[in-house]
Amino acid sequence: MWAYIVRRLLLAIPTLLGVTVVVFLIMRVAPGDLALMIICGPGGDCTFDQAALERIREELGLNKPLYVQYFDWLFGILTLDFGRSFFYNAEMSTLLARKAPLSLQVGLMGLVFGSLLGIVGGVIAALKQDTLTDYLIRGTAILGISVPTFWSGMMLILIFVRMFDWIPRQGYIPLWEDPIANLAQLVWPALIIGLGFLMGVPLRMMRATMLEVMREDYVRTARSKGLKERVIIVRHAMRNALIPVLTLIGIFLPITVTGLVVTEQVFGLPGIGRMMVDAISQRDYPVVQLVVTLAGFAVVAANLGVDMLYGWLDPRIRY
C-alpha cells in the first residue's frame, strides 16, 4: 500500500503544477491593470503620476517577465511564504488563520450532514422501491439539486425573520470561545449546503447502487443462510454500494468551497468564500492564486483518502 501511496503522490505533482500554471495565467491575462487599480480604485479612472505607477509595479514585481513572476510565487509556496494580499494589506498566512476555520467548519458540517442524509435516504428509498416513501425521498433529492443555495438561504432567513424575529449574526464566533453560539450561528448555512447538491446527488447514486447490489448472488446466498435482514443490508449490501458514493463525495469536496462563496455572502460570514469574491473583483493575485491552489491540494488529498477506503469497504480490492 505504501508504494501505491507514494506513486499516487508523485503523479499528483504534475496535476498540482498544472493548477498553479492555469490560475497564474488566468489572473495575468484578465483585463485591467492591478497597479492602476491600487492608485485609482476599482474604476481605474483618475489622474495619476506615471512614476508612481511604475514604482508600484516594481514593488509588486509586476514589471518582471511572467515566467519570473510565476517561479517567484511557486518558490514562495514551497517555502510557506504565501505573499501579501494587496486588497486586505495583510500577510496571506494571517488571512488564512483568521478566515479558514469558519469556512472549514461550515464546509465540513455541510458535507457530513448532506452525505449522511444522502446515504441513509438512498438506502431507505432502495428498500422501499416504488412506494410513496421512495417517491417522497427522490422528490426531495431532485428539489435539493434544482434549488440554488442563495435562494434557499434567503428563504430561510426570510422565514426566520418573519416568524421568529431572528436576524443572522454577522461576524464569526470561534468554536473554542463559545461552542453553543458558534453552532447556533453556523448550523443554518451548513444545513443549506447539506440539503442542496451535497445530499441530492449521493442519494440518487446510493439508491441506484443499492438496488443493483440487492440483486447480486451473494445477497441471495446470505438470505438463504438465514442471516437477519439488517445484517445483510449493513454488512453486505451497504459496504459494496458505498464505493461509488464515496467517490462522488470525494469529488464534491471542492464543490463545498464553491458553495461557500454564495452561502457566506447570503449569511454575512467572513470566510474564505467571501474573501475570494472581494479578491476577484479587486484582482488580488495572492488571494485567488493561493485559494485555488489549496483547493487543488484538497481534491488530490480527498481522492487519495477515498481510494484508501476502497480496500476497507471491499476486501477484494488490492493496491
Side-chain angles (χ1 to χ4, degrees), residues 19 82 96 272 289-299:
V19 170
F82 302 131
L96 285 178
I272 291 179
Q289 292 172 175
L290 180 61
V291 172
V292 174
T293 303
L294 290 178
F297 275 99
V299 172

Side-chain angles (χ1 to χ4, degrees), residues 13-41:
I13 293 176
T15 301
L16 295 175
L17 286 176
V19 170
T20 60
V21 171
V22 170
V23 67
F24 179 85
L25 292 178
I26 287 178
M27 291 303 298
R28 294 311 188 277
V29 301
D33 189 336
L34 176 61
L36 190 61
M37 292 177 65
I38 293 176
I39 292 180
C40 302

